[in-house]
Amino acid sequence: ELKVEQNPLFLSMQEGKNYTIYCNYSTTSDRLYWYRQDPGKSLESLFVLLSNGAVKQEGRLMASLDTKARLSTLHITAAVHDLSATYFCAVAFSDYKLSFGAGTTVTVRA
Amino acid sequence: DAGVTQSPTHLIKTRGQQVTLRCSPKSGHDTVSWYQQALGQGPQFIFQYYEEEERQRGNFPDRFSGHQFPNYSSELNVNALLLGDSALYLCASSEGRGYTFGSGTRLTVV
């Protein structure tokens, strides 16, 4: 069965501290996507990871992919309030569809 | 350059009715996928259209059907609406490995 598991599902961050969201998946894939969703809004693409060892960074966010471990991480450096949102990872198990995790709801507090 | 356009943005329907949602893909994208996102969950793949044919289908009943037109735009039709069909319906267009999501249609079934 194709599964994508994110943890934690809820993350309360303190401003200025570092945190990591984990995304595990059940079957071989070499394509993994990270999205951000604000309440009531659509999905904003953050990163596309296309190979083992891929690392991408944008501002305070950094994503990496380990295809052998079937694991991706989204690392947040020095959290700020603007990062409050729900973050989804999605895995392409075939060429035709993305399988999403349940999402990690992030709240950043002062 | 317009991104993915979906219409309508919001819709309220009664149980048993039928609904049609529309999607115009990003310029240059020839593939359209539809996803259902229930409240508090990750998006679930409904189906994908390419060259006016359904290429892959997720675990959704036949009440969900679609169409792709020669200009690559697409429609999602849902018959015999159930309360459980209430969700945000997202259209994603792609060309190659990148996916761009529209802002979605919020369907409420009462």
Side-chain angles (χ1 to χ4, degrees):
Chain A
E1 184 184 349
L2 305 177
K3 284 187 178 178
V4 180
E5 294 184 343
Q6 281 182 243
N7 69 84
L9 297 182
F10 298 92
L11 188 51
S12 178
M13 300 185 184
Q14 188 172 353
E15 276 188 341
K17 293 199 172 179
N18 303 333
Y19 297 88
T20 301
I21 299 170
Y22 298 89
C23 176
N24 292 90
Y25 53 98
S26 59
T27 307
T28 300
S29 172
D30 60 359
R31 280 190 289 148
L32 190 138
Y33 302 75
W34 283 97
Y35 292 92
R36 168 184 170 140
Q37 187 175 42
D38 292 297
K41 304 294 185 183
S42 187
L43 298 169
E44 174 191 352
S45 179
L46 295 175
F47 301 108
V48 182
L49 303 170
L50 298 177
S51 62
N52 185 41
V55 177
K56 292 199 173 178
Q57 183 164 8
E58 180 73 33
R60 300 177 186 275
L61 302 178
M62 183 175 73
S64 65
L65 177 62
D66 181 343
T67 59
K68 293 189 172 77
R70 299 176 190 162
L71 170 68
S72 179
T73 60
L74 180 65
H75 188 72
I76 299 168
T77 301
V80 293
H81 185 262
D82 285 354
L83 293 178
S84 296
T86 299
Y87 294 84
F88 291 96
C89 65
V91 179
F93 290 117
S94 75
D95 285 338
Y96 307 137
K97 74 173 201 178
L98 296 179
S99 297
F100 284 80
T104 298
T105 299
V106 168
T107 304
V108 181
R109 64 187 191 280
Chain B
D1 179 26
V4 178
T5 305
Q6 290 188 243
S7 64
T9 56
H10 295 83
L11 204 51
I12 299 175
K13 289 286 189 178
T14 304
R15 276 180 298 174
Q17 285 189 315
Q18 178 264 342
V19 68
T20 298
L21 311 181
R22 295 177 175 82
C23 173
S24 293
K26 184 176 178 179
S27 177
H29 286 189
D30 57 6
T31 303
V32 173
S33 304
W34 287 91
Y35 289 81
Q36 180 196 65
Q37 186 179 20
L39 199 60
Q41 298 182 23
Q44 299 291 317
F45 175 78
I46 302 175
F47 41 54
Q48 185 183 88
Y49 276 85
Y50 173 71
E51 292 190 341
E52 303 179 50
E53 296 285 334
E54 183 183 289
R55 188 153 69 171
Q56 188 171 13
R57 187 179 186 89
N59 190 23
F60 280 81
D62 292 345
R63 298 187 297 109
F64 289 76
S65 63
H67 189 78
Q68 186 179 33
F69 298 94
N71 66 352
Y72 306 129
S73 67
S74 177
E75 290 182 347
L76 165 65
N77 301 292
V78 187
N79 294 323
L81 284 166
L82 304 174
L83 294 179
D85 295 332
S86 295
L88 179 67
Y89 287 85
L90 295 166
C91 170
S93 72
S94 56
E95 195 273 323
R97 292 180 163 182
Y99 292 84
T100 302
F101 282 83
S103 55
T105 295
R106 172 73 62 187
L107 172 64
T108 302
V109 182
V110 297

